[in-house]
Every structure is written in C-alpha cells, then in structure tokens.
Amino acid sequence: MEGLTKHKAWDLIVDQCHQEEFTIKGPDDNDLKVIMIKSKANKDAKDLPLYIHWHGGAAYSGNPKLEIPALSRLALENNMCCVSMGYRLMA
C-alpha cells in the first residue's frame, strides 16, 4: 500500500494494517464492495469490535478506498476491525 497518500506519516500507519477486499453479491448486479482493515497484529482475530464506514459521495460518487488511512489509524489505535463499504444507489 506504499504511496497511498501524499503523506509519509499516513503511509506508515497504513503499512501497519492488514486489508482484505471482497464483494458481496447484490440484486441486479449491484454488488457491495467491502474493504476490511485490521492491524497486522490482529489479522486473524475474530472477536474485535467492529466499525462500519459508509463513504460520503451523496450516493452517486466516492468509493470505499477514500478513508483507508483514517480507518487504518482507527483500527490501530482502538484495537478494532474497520469495514469500509462501497455502494452506488444511483446509475
């Protein structure tokens, strides 16, 4: 994930995290893209608190990668799993 941001400090935080990307099948080919972020130390943990983030964008723009640096920091500082959800409600 090197170079994700323009700030080296944020890149250092992101590099301490494990990310998984997957898709949840939805109706009418409107799939839900998901990014799960945990600290590398908690990569295999199953019982962490969960924070679910819905990105901004007024339901027609944006993506789940927008807040990876901030969610990585949240996951590290609070020993939790952060999930960023991608969605599109409009064509």
Side-chain angles (χ1 to χ4, degrees), residues 59-70:
Y60 66 90
S61 69
N63 68 65
K65 295 183 179 186
L66 291 174
E67 298 295 330
I68 287 176

Side-chain angles (χ1 to χ4, degrees), residues 7-69:
H7 305 287
K8 289 185 179 186
W10 280 115
D11 288 337
L12 292 173
I13 290 170
V14 171
D15 288 343
Q16 295 178 60
C17 289
H18 170 76
Q19 296 177 29
E20 288 183 47
E21 295 185 33
F22 52 94
T23 302
I24 298 172
K25 285 292 197 188
D28 302 324
D29 296 322
N30 192 12
D31 298 339
L32 183 67
K33 294 179 182 176
V34 179
I35 299 174
M36 183 174 62
I37 303 168
K38 299 179 187 178
S39 70
K40 287 183 178 176
N42 288 321
K43 176 183 168 186
D44 297 321
K46 305 277 188 220
D47 58 351
L48 296 174
L50 178 65
Y51 175 81
I52 300 173
H53 176 76
W54 296 93
H55 67 79
Y60 66 90
S61 69
N63 68 65
K65 295 183 179 186
L66 291 174
E67 298 295 330
I68 287 176

